[in-house]
Amino acid sequence: MTVPENLSYTAEHEWVAIDGGVASVGITDYAQQALGDVVYVSVPAPGTAVTAGEPFGEVESTKSVSDLYSPVDGEVIEANPEIDDDPGLVNTDPYGSGWLLRIRVADDAEPAGLLTPEEYTALTKEAE
Amino acid sequence: MTTPDAAKPRSTPLRAVHEQLGASMTEFAGWLMPLRYRSETAEHQAVRSSAGLFDLSHMGEIVVAGPGAAAALDYALVGQPSSMTPGRARYTMICAADGGVLDDLIVYRLGDAEFLVVANAANTAVVDSALRERADGHDARITDQTDDYALIAIQGPAAAAILGPLTDIALDGVKYYTSHRGTVAGREILLARTGYTGEDGFELFSQPGDAEHIWLALSAAGAMAGLVPAGLAARDTLRLEAGMPLYGNELGPDTTPFDAGLGRVVKLDKPGDFVGRDALAAAAQAPPRRVLVGLRSGTRRVPRHGYPVLWDGQPCGTVTSGAPSPTLGVPIAMAYVEPEVAAETGAAAETGAPESRLAVDIRGRAEPARMNPLPFYHRIHDRPR
């Protein structure tokens, strides 16, 4: 299981990379391994307002379906156009071509409650 | 009893092999089992196109032996094991007095006075105790020998070609639902042409200490042909496509074999009494309470166990099993629905009329679905009968 050093994480097993007020979001390697083969990802269309901690989509795998939670307050500006045709990208490259959403972080929002790589690694160890 | 410590799952003789292969292990019915090795979709497809290797050592093996074994089983089960000749196997069920299913089983007649009853792992203790109770007064011994057996399945169109060179049994002569004693890779086995995937295939009962040797020999022999190890996740989607029921989903104490469309396993014409006879005779005559149907989702969201089925927006049934189908490329499901709905949608399917009145409530949103005849998948390869 990989946990890149340059990303932030949530307790819901998502990763976040904030750059220039834009948050890129995906699910972690740990999450994709636990889910198994991802067959469908539902995410909101660009323009949709999202709220930190609120569900905004779902990931369907062979054995289960899981909610996706927004890690930040803001507005969706882009959904990964490749995922619809090839949801398996979430499995093969969760931190790269398997990214899910880009969210413009609301001006007055200070992203809170995100986990460092160390904290997230500890969290996954607890779950074992 | 089969679960001495609920907190600590039991391991099969192949646990080290699974861990060596990097399997994701999961607890299932009190056992630590491989859920998947890599991609369960790839494992599923390998079984459809080539072959897959499964560890089924969690299944229960209960031996019923003695001069009264056949009579005891005729009384205990809904089928008629006494009518089987040695070497034959049969799919059957054990029911409660009210007709509810306690488990579905495969019964192998090993000799005139010896039967092997293979039960689901979660039900082994229940089946063992019911058989003991029901054999009372018969000259038959019931022994739960689950710990004495490993069970390996090789399933798929290439199974016979991979297994053939490793066994002294002439597989061409092995009919579906028969068993033979022989060797595989030099180790003694009971070989049966049975399975739970919708493909041709074999199940190999061996001594636990021989399981690893047999598994590795089959893996090596099949590697070039595309054989891969396959876990419980693939096993579930394979059986779902094949329209085969799973205890706890399509079958349970509140369902009769007739509910599940499997009334043929109930031998009401066999001589003598058997547990559940009165209730099952009544169920055979009564109009069905509900009908097990196949559904194909109209969206990419997956109908799953327990989701309500809707007809004109009103609940009319419940999904029992659902998953994305690797073969069909869409989500599929089995569900119990009201008989009227099954009849209407069945007729609509035949005339090609739209079935927009049928839906599944997927996490609060009604998603369109339509009926699909069971099974979803039927292999085209010939199999010996």
Side-chain angles (χ1 to χ4, degrees):
Chain A
M1 182 193 82
T2 61
V3 180
E5 284 296 319
N6 58 333
L7 301 174
S8 300
Y9 298 88
T10 72
E12 284 81 31
H13 304 286
E14 290 160 26
W15 59 263
V16 190
I18 300 179
D19 184 18
V22 173
S24 299
V25 181
I27 70 168
T28 65
D29 191 30
Y30 177 89
Q32 70 80 17
Q33 279 185 28
L35 288 171
D37 292 341
V38 172
V39 296
Y40 175 57
V41 182
S42 150
V43 291
T48 307
V50 294
T51 306
E54 296 289 313
F56 67 59
E58 58 189 16
V59 182
E60 295 265 9
S61 66
T62 306
K63 294 295 279 182
S64 67
V65 58
S66 306
D67 282 321
L68 291 166
Y69 296 86
S70 182
V72 294
D73 291 338
E75 181 186 321
V76 176
I77 53 174
E78 191 182 3
N80 185 345
E82 310 289 326
I83 293 293
D84 209 42
D85 283 344
D86 191 2
L89 290 173
V90 174
N91 294 112
T92 54
D93 193 10
Y95 299 114
S97 56
W99 67 276
L100 299 178
L101 273 186
R102 295 201 208 287
I103 300 168
R104 183 174 309 287
V105 183
D107 289 339
D108 52 352
E110 189 65 30
L114 297 180
L115 306 176
T116 66
E118 293 72 30
E119 289 167 338
Y120 180 68
T121 302
L123 182 99
T124 59
K125 292 254 158 48
E126 273 171 38
E128 298 277 285
Chain B
M1 288 297 290
T2 52
T3 43
D5 183 354
K8 195 158 175 278
R10 301 164 77 186
S11 294
T12 77
L14 291 163
R15 177 177 174 178
V17 174
H18 303 319
E19 288 176 348
Q20 187 85 32
L21 289 164
S24 296
M25 303 296 285
T26 190
E27 196 179 330
F28 176 78
W31 292 78
L32 192 63
M33 299 299 296
L35 179 64
R36 67 175 78 83
Y37 298 83
R38 295 281 181 276
S39 152
E40 66 269 19
T41 311
E43 292 165 19
H44 178 116
Q45 284 158 344
V47 174
R48 291 276 179 255
S49 63
S50 172
L53 200 54
F54 298 84
D55 178 10
L56 307 179
S57 301
H58 62 309
M59 302 288 285
E61 285 89 7
I62 300 166
V63 174
V64 182
L73 286 173
D74 278 5
Y75 173 70
L77 310 181
V78 300
Q80 192 181 1
S82 67
S83 70
M84 300 162 65
T85 52
R88 299 305 297 244
R90 204 163 283 164
Y91 177 75
T92 186
M93 296 187 193
I94 183 166
C95 287
D98 68 359
V101 179
L102 295 180
D103 201 9
D104 60 339
L105 308 165
I106 294 181
V107 175
Y108 299 86
R109 187 165 201 168
L110 303 180
D112 283 333
E114 187 181 9
F115 294 81
L116 177 64
V117 176
V118 176
N120 283 298
N123 294 331
T124 304
V126 168
V127 174
D128 181 55
S129 102
L131 288 177
R132 282 169 195 283
E133 204 175 293
R134 296 173 188 191
D136 192 38
H138 295 271
D139 188 0
R141 292 182 310 283
I142 317 292
T143 321
D144 178 354
Q145 295 194 4
T146 303
D147 286 339
D148 301 332
Y149 285 101
L151 178 56
I152 293 172
I154 178 169
Q155 299 277 306
I162 294 166
L163 179 60
L166 290 177
T167 180
D168 60 350
I169 299 168
L171 297 182
D172 285 351
V174 177
K175 294 197 178 75
Y176 196 53
Y177 268 76
T178 65
S179 69
H180 297 256
R181 290 194 187 279
T183 62
V184 167
R187 306 298 167 95
E188 285 182 11
I189 46 87
L190 176 73
L191 173 150
R193 200 163 202 152
T194 45
Y196 192 53
T197 60
E199 298 296 338
D200 185 23
F202 302 87
E203 295 182 313
L204 310 172
F205 298 87
S206 75
Q207 291 190 25
D210 289 337
E212 188 166 327
H213 177 81
I214 293 167
W215 177 281
L216 295 176
L218 289 168
S219 295
M224 293 300 284
L227 173 90
V228 299
L232 291 181
R235 184 167 158 85
D236 192 43
T237 49
L238 287 159
R239 70 93 196 165
L240 175 60
E241 285 186 350
M244 294 171 165
L246 172 64
Y247 194 88
N249 290 29
E250 287 72 35
L251 301 174
D254 300 327
T255 52
T256 70
F258 296 96
D259 291 331
L262 293 166
R264 63 183 161 77
V265 305
V266 181
K267 304 302 178 194
L268 290 169
D269 56 354
K270 68 177 167 178
D273 193 19
F274 67 94
V275 179
R277 180 191 270 282
D278 291 346
L280 291 168
Q285 295 300 320
R289 299 181 291 180
R290 49 195 173 159
V291 178
L292 188 67
V293 298
L295 300 178
R296 182 191 282 246
S297 176
T299 76
R300 293 169 74 182
R301 301 180 78 216
V302 183
R304 298 187 190 270
H305 178 79
Y307 289 5
V309 181
L310 307 175
W311 177 253
D312 287 343
Q314 296 303 308
C316 71
T318 308
V319 172
T320 50
S321 298
S325 161
T327 303
L328 278 69
V330 297
I332 58 172
M334 288 197 272
Y336 278 115
V337 299
E338 293 168 4
E340 301 75 26
V341 169
E344 280 214 47
T345 53
E350 270 177 29
T351 58
E355 295 169 60
S356 52
R357 302 167 74 183
L358 192 65
V360 178
D361 180 345
I362 298 183
R363 308 196 330 136
R365 205 161 79 218
E367 302 284 2
R370 61 188 175 86
M371 290 262 284
N372 195 100
L374 292 174
F376 297 95
Y377 170 83
H378 220 298
R379 71 173 177 272
I380 47 171
H381 318 282
D382 288 330
R383 73 176 178 218
R385 281 217 173 256

